[in-house]
PDB file of all heavy atoms in Angstrom:
ATOM      1  N   LEU A   6      35.393 -16.343  83.507  1.00 73.00           N
ATOM      2  CA  LEU A   6      35.564 -17.369  84.524  1.00 73.00           C
ATOM      3  C   LEU A   6      34.241 -17.685  85.195  1.00 73.00           C
ATOM      4  O   LEU A   6      33.904 -18.848  85.411  1.00 73.00           O
ATOM      5  CB  LEU A   6      36.555 -16.887  85.589  1.00 73.00           C
ATOM      6  CG  LEU A   6      38.020 -17.189  85.291  1.00 73.00           C
ATOM      7  CD1 LEU A   6      38.893 -16.722  86.434  1.00 73.00           C
ATOM      8  CD2 LEU A   6      38.194 -18.677  85.057  1.00 73.00           C
ATOM      9  N   ARG A   7      33.502 -16.619  85.509  1.00 76.00           N
ATOM     10  CA  ARG A   7      32.251 -16.837  86.224  1.00 76.00           C
ATOM     11  C   ARG A   7      31.264 -17.627  85.369  1.00 76.00           C
ATOM     12  O   ARG A   7      30.583 -18.518  85.840  1.00 76.00           O
ATOM     13  CB  ARG A   7      31.646 -15.483  86.636  1.00 76.00           C
ATOM     14  CG  ARG A   7      31.090 -15.511  88.052  1.00 76.00           C
ATOM     15  CD  ARG A   7      30.797 -14.109  88.538  1.00 76.00           C
ATOM     16  NE  ARG A   7      31.998 -13.273  88.560  1.00 76.00           N
ATOM     17  CZ  ARG A   7      32.046 -12.020  88.104  1.00 76.00           C
ATOM     18  NH1 ARG A   7      30.984 -11.464  87.572  1.00 76.00           N
ATOM     19  NH2 ARG A   7      33.169 -11.328  88.193  1.00 76.00           N
ATOM     20  N   SER A   8      31.252 -17.319  84.079  1.00 79.00           N
ATOM     21  CA  SER A   8      30.292 -18.033  83.243  1.00 79.00           C
ATOM     22  C   SER A   8      30.703 -19.505  83.081  1.00 79.00           C
ATOM     23  O   SER A   8      29.861 -20.381  82.989  1.00 79.00           O
ATOM     24  CB  SER A   8      30.158 -17.342  81.886  1.00 79.00           C
ATOM     25  OG  SER A   8      31.230 -17.701  81.050  1.00 79.00           O
ATOM     26  N   LEU A   9      32.004 -19.748  83.072  1.00 79.00           N
ATOM     27  CA  LEU A   9      32.458 -21.134  82.988  1.00 79.00           C
ATOM     28  C   LEU A   9      32.123 -21.882  84.267  1.00 79.00           C
ATOM     29  O   LEU A   9      31.705 -23.037  84.249  1.00 79.00           O
ATOM     30  CB  LEU A   9      33.970 -21.189  82.767  1.00 79.00           C
ATOM     31  CG  LEU A   9      34.450 -21.230  81.324  1.00 79.00           C
ATOM     32  CD1 LEU A   9      35.929 -21.527  81.280  1.00 79.00           C
ATOM     33  CD2 LEU A   9      33.676 -22.275  80.541  1.00 79.00           C
ATOM     34  N   GLU A  10      32.298 -21.151  85.372  1.00 83.00           N
ATOM     35  CA  GLU A  10      32.039 -21.773  86.662  1.00 83.00           C
ATOM     36  C   GLU A  10      30.603 -22.267  86.738  1.00 83.00           C
ATOM     37  O   GLU A  10      30.307 -23.265  87.376  1.00 83.00           O
ATOM     38  CB  GLU A  10      32.312 -20.730  87.755  1.00 83.00           C
ATOM     39  CG  GLU A  10      32.683 -21.313  89.094  1.00 83.00           C
ATOM     40  CD  GLU A  10      33.063 -20.197  90.069  1.00 83.00           C
ATOM     41  OE1 GLU A  10      33.847 -19.297  89.670  1.00 83.00           O
ATOM     42  OE2 GLU A  10      32.562 -20.222  91.187  1.00 83.00           O
ATOM     43  N   GLN A  11      29.744 -21.514  86.050  1.00 86.00           N
ATOM     44  CA  GLN A  11      28.330 -21.882  86.124  1.00 86.00           C
ATOM     45  C   GLN A  11      27.998 -23.161  85.373  1.00 86.00           C
ATOM     46  O   GLN A  11      27.051 -23.851  85.728  1.00 86.00           O
ATOM     47  CB  GLN A  11      27.467 -20.731  85.613  1.00 86.00           C
ATOM     48  CG  GLN A  11      27.326 -19.651  86.674  1.00 86.00           C
ATOM     49  CD  GLN A  11      26.545 -18.464  86.168  1.00 86.00           C
ATOM     50  OE1 GLN A  11      25.987 -18.509  85.080  1.00 86.00           O
ATOM     51  NE2 GLN A  11      26.504 -17.403  86.959  1.00 86.00           N
ATOM     52  N   VAL A  12      28.772 -23.464  84.344  1.00 88.00           N
ATOM     53  CA  VAL A  12      28.476 -24.708  83.627  1.00 88.00           C
ATOM     54  C   VAL A  12      29.233 -25.894  84.214  1.00 88.00           C
ATOM     55  O   VAL A  12      29.072 -27.016  83.775  1.00 88.00           O
ATOM     56  CB  VAL A  12      28.796 -24.602  82.122  1.00 88.00           C
ATOM     57  CG1 VAL A  12      27.817 -23.656  81.451  1.00 88.00           C
ATOM     58  CG2 VAL A  12      30.223 -24.181  81.903  1.00 88.00           C
ATOM     59  N   CYS A  13      30.084 -25.597  85.190  1.00 92.00           N
ATOM     60  CA  CYS A  13      30.804 -26.697  85.829  1.00 92.00           C
ATOM     61  C   CYS A  13      29.931 -27.386  86.871  1.00 92.00           C
ATOM     62  O   CYS A  13      29.080 -26.761  87.498  1.00 92.00           O
ATOM     63  CB  CYS A  13      32.053 -26.193  86.534  1.00 92.00           C
ATOM     64  SG  CYS A  13      33.438 -25.942  85.419  1.00 92.00           S
ATOM     65  N   THR A  14      30.185 -28.696  87.032  1.00 93.00           N
ATOM     66  CA  THR A  14      29.554 -29.422  88.119  1.00 93.00           C
ATOM     67  C   THR A  14      30.614 -29.618  89.196  1.00 93.00           C
ATOM     68  O   THR A  14      31.717 -30.082  88.896  1.00 93.00           O
ATOM     69  CB  THR A  14      29.084 -30.802  87.639  1.00 93.00           C
ATOM     70  OG1 THR A  14      28.364 -30.633  86.434  1.00 93.00           O
ATOM     71  CG2 THR A  14      28.236 -31.459  88.698  1.00 93.00           C
ATOM     72  N   PHE A  15      30.306 -29.259  90.403  1.00 94.00           N
ATOM     73  CA  PHE A  15      31.258 -29.460  91.495  1.00 94.00           C
ATOM     74  C   PHE A  15      30.850 -30.686  92.287  1.00 94.00           C
ATOM     75  O   PHE A  15      29.683 -30.920  92.538  1.00 94.00           O
ATOM     76  CB  PHE A  15      31.290 -28.228  92.404  1.00 94.00           C
ATOM     77  CG  PHE A  15      31.964 -27.059  91.758  1.00 94.00           C
ATOM     78  CD1 PHE A  15      31.287 -26.259  90.847  1.00 94.00           C
ATOM     79  CD2 PHE A  15      33.288 -26.789  92.040  1.00 94.00           C
ATOM     80  CE1 PHE A  15      31.914 -25.190  90.236  1.00 94.00           C
ATOM     81  CE2 PHE A  15      33.931 -25.720  91.430  1.00 94.00           C
ATOM     82  CZ  PHE A  15      33.237 -24.916  90.522  1.00 94.00           C
ATOM     83  N   ARG A  16      31.866 -31.442  92.654  1.00 93.00           N
ATOM     84  CA  ARG A  16      31.541 -32.631  93.426  1.00 93.00           C
ATOM     85  C   ARG A  16      32.664 -32.975  94.379  1.00 93.00           C
ATOM     86  O   ARG A  16      33.844 -32.760  94.058  1.00 93.00           O
ATOM     87  CB  ARG A  16      31.322 -33.807  92.476  1.00 93.00           C
ATOM     88  CG  ARG A  16      30.335 -34.794  93.050  1.00 93.00           C
ATOM     89  CD  ARG A  16      30.215 -36.054  92.253  1.00 93.00           C
ATOM     90  NE  ARG A  16      30.341 -37.195  93.168  1.00 93.00           N
ATOM     91  CZ  ARG A  16      30.416 -38.450  92.765  1.00 93.00           C
ATOM     92  NH1 ARG A  16      30.417 -38.732  91.482  1.00 93.00           N
ATOM     93  NH2 ARG A  16      30.535 -39.424  93.641  1.00 93.00           N
ATOM     94  N   ARG A  17      32.304 -33.500  95.532  1.00 91.00           N
ATOM     95  CA  ARG A  17      33.304 -33.932  96.517  1.00 91.00           C
ATOM     96  C   ARG A  17      33.542 -35.426  96.365  1.00 91.00           C
ATOM     97  O   ARG A  17      32.612 -36.189  96.103  1.00 91.00           O
ATOM     98  CB  ARG A  17      32.824 -33.667  97.941  1.00 91.00           C
ATOM     99  CG  ARG A  17      32.855 -32.224  98.319  1.00 91.00           C
ATOM    100  CD  ARG A  17      33.213 -32.024  99.794  1.00 91.00           C
ATOM    101  NE  ARG A  17      33.728 -30.671  99.970  1.00 91.00           N
ATOM    102  CZ  ARG A  17      35.010 -30.364  99.917  1.00 91.00           C
ATOM    103  NH1 ARG A  17      35.911 -31.311  99.765  1.00 91.00           N
ATOM    104  NH2 ARG A  17      35.398 -29.113 100.055  1.00 91.00           N
TER     105      ARG A  17
END
Side-chain angles (χ1 to χ4, degrees):
Chain A
L6 272 182
R7 222 167 300 135
S8 80
L9 269 190
E10 205 175 314
Q11 281 177 8
V12 291
C13 279
T14 311
F15 288 80
R16 210 188 130 187
R17 287 215 158 267

